[in-house]
């Protein structure tokens, strides 16, 4: 029995009823003020439902079954613009008056227009040469915020026994702080070289690109003996696609078109913890 979850900050009954009619739903359940479940829908209506939801500003998820959250074993998330509200490298550059140059490369990389993420990162980091480490601390303290629903998603997953992984093409300066703040099990990110309190414009060691992200997710999944259906992976950029391919619950969050096109699910208007409405306790 296929079910359809609809979510939006302002979910209106007439819109729900219109979608229910197209999907030939057998019933409607109100889960909360922003979420309904359409029961026994026609899976053949996916394309029409998706187009209507897009036009109405509603997130939708077709589910062939409602899994238990406690059956899942791994939750992996990208950091910049997914778990948090900013691209950290752009904000560091802004502190030095170089944001426009760095942000242009970031955007092109996230859209998939620059295929070599490692090269794009080296180019961006090179523009940070001479920036004081205090700029990183200011970015963390003054600009970095968790995206709506992030903390509840992580904490609920942890209570369900799910292992949590933050895997980022960004920097350990931020992932380590978020690991302590949220109690994340593991993190992967890039290490900025710092000499005499200033960035050298170089990255130490292997760069965490799309392939490295995927390896980190696979390693955690193997350690947890997790099948794809027991893995959730969230991302917004092209370098997240490889890791998302390991997860049945591949989730595009406020994502670039190339990511939305390949992810199984998308959250375009709803908070991160809206994912929890797809599961039963």
């Amino acid at each position: 029995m296929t079910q359809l979850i609809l979510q939006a900050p302002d979910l209106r009954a007439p819109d729900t009823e219109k979608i229910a009619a197209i999907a030939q739903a057998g019933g409607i359940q109100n889960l909360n003020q922003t979420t309904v479940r359409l029961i026994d829908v026609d899976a053949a209506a996916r394309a029409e439902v998706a187009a209507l939801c897009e036009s109405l500003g509603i997130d939708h998820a077709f589910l062939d079954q409602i899994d238990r959250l406690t059956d899942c074993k791994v939750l992996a998330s990208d950091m910049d613009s997914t778990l948090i509200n900013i691209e950290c490298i752009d904000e560091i550059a802004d502190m030095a008056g170089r944001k426009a140059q760095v942000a242009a490369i970031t955007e092109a990389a996230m859209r998939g227009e620059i295929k070599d993420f490692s090269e794009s990162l080296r180019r961006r980091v090179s523009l940070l040469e001479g920036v004081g480490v205090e700029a990183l601390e200011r970015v963390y303290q003054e600009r970095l915020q968790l995206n709506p629903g992030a903390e509840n998603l992580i904490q609920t997953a942890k209570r369900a026994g799910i292992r949590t992984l933050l895997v980022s093409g960004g920097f350990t300066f931020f992932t380590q702080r978020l690991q302590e703040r949220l109690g994340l099990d593991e993190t992967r990110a890039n290490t900025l070289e710092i000499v005499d309190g200033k960035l050298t414009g170089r990255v130490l060691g292997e760069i965490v690109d799309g392939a490295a992200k995927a390896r980190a997710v696979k390693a955690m999944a193997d350690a947890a003996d997790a099948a794809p259906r027991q893995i959730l992976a969230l991302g917004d950029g092209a370098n997240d696609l490889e890791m998302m391919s390991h997860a049945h619950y591949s989730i595009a969050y406020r994502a670039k078109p190339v990511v939305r096109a390949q992810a199984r699910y998308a959250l375009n208007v709803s908070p991160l913890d809206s994912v929890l409405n797809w599961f039963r306790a």
Side-chain angles (χ1 to χ4, degrees):
M1 180 190 298
T2 301
Q3 303 194 46
L4 175 60
I5 306 295
L6 303 177
Q7 304 190 88
D10 180 23
L11 190 61
R12 298 177 292 272
D15 293 340
T16 297
E17 291 163 5
K18 186 183 299 184
I19 296 167
I22 292 172
Q24 301 180 41
I28 300 176
Q29 286 183 337
N30 292 308
L31 298 184
N32 54 55
Q33 289 185 331
T34 62
T35 311
V36 300
R37 177 187 295 151
L38 304 187
I39 303 166
D40 193 17
V41 299
D42 180 8
R46 285 175 185 262
E48 190 175 359
V49 166
L52 181 56
C53 286
E54 176 78 17
S55 69
L56 294 173
I58 295 173
D59 290 329
H60 73 284
F62 280 93
L63 303 169
D64 55 2
Q65 64 186 52
I66 305 294
D67 291 326
R68 292 184 184 276
L69 184 63
T70 51
D71 288 336
C72 294
K73 296 183 176 181
V74 171
L75 169 63
S77 178
D78 171 52
M79 180 175 69
D80 296 83
S81 298
T82 301
L83 195 72
I84 64 173
N85 65 320
I86 59 173
E87 293 286 335
C88 291
I89 192 168
D90 294 355
E91 300 307 314
I92 298 168
D94 191 36
M95 297 286 181
R98 306 169 195 169
K99 184 171 183 177
Q101 298 162 273
V102 172
I105 302 172
T106 299
E107 274 293 303
M110 293 303 99
R111 289 193 301 263
E113 294 168 6
I114 300 177
K115 302 303 182 184
D116 188 339
F117 176 84
S118 296
E119 178 57 28
S120 80
L121 183 68
R122 289 191 182 95
R123 284 170 57 191
R124 285 176 285 164
V125 171
S126 70
L127 293 169
L128 303 181
E129 182 179 359
V131 174
V133 71
E134 65 274 6
L136 280 68
E137 187 64 37
R138 283 188 60 199
V139 168
Y140 181 77
Q141 295 293 342
E142 299 174 14
R143 302 191 181 185
L144 185 152
Q145 297 178 18
L146 295 173
N147 273 326
E151 187 163 10
N152 186 45
L153 174 61
I154 296 296
Q155 299 309 323
T156 303
K158 286 169 61 66
R159 288 194 297 272
I162 298 171
R163 292 188 61 77
T164 53
L165 169 67
L166 182 60
V167 59
S168 174
F171 308 118
T172 54
F173 183 93
F174 302 101
T175 58
Q176 288 171 354
R177 284 160 174 74
L178 290 169
Q179 182 173 22
E180 294 173 7
R181 179 173 170 181
L182 297 173
L184 299 163
D185 291 301
E186 295 183 26
T187 65
R188 298 282 190 282
N190 299 296
T191 303
L192 291 167
E193 184 178 58
I194 300 172
V195 176
D196 296 330
K198 295 185 182 297
L199 304 186
T200 66
R202 293 187 292 271
V203 178
L204 298 174
E206 179 189 10
I207 286 179
V208 178
D209 58 6
K213 286 188 172 190
R215 288 194 296 273
V217 172
K218 186 177 186 304
M220 179 173 276
D222 289 347
D225 194 25
R229 193 162 193 115
Q230 297 171 302
I231 303 171
L232 301 91
L234 301 100
D236 75 298
N239 64 322
D240 297 318
L241 286 169
E242 286 185 73
M243 77 166 184
M244 291 167 70
S245 71
H246 289 285
H248 173 81
Y249 292 100
S250 59
I251 305 155
Y253 178 79
R254 309 292 196 272
K256 304 298 184 289
V258 67
V259 182
R260 290 177 57 184
Q262 296 184 50
R264 185 172 276 109
Y265 304 103
L267 295 177
N268 301 318
V269 299
S270 304
L272 285 166
D273 57 353
S274 297
V275 168
L276 301 172
N277 292 317
W278 304 340
F279 297 89
R280 53 196 173 107

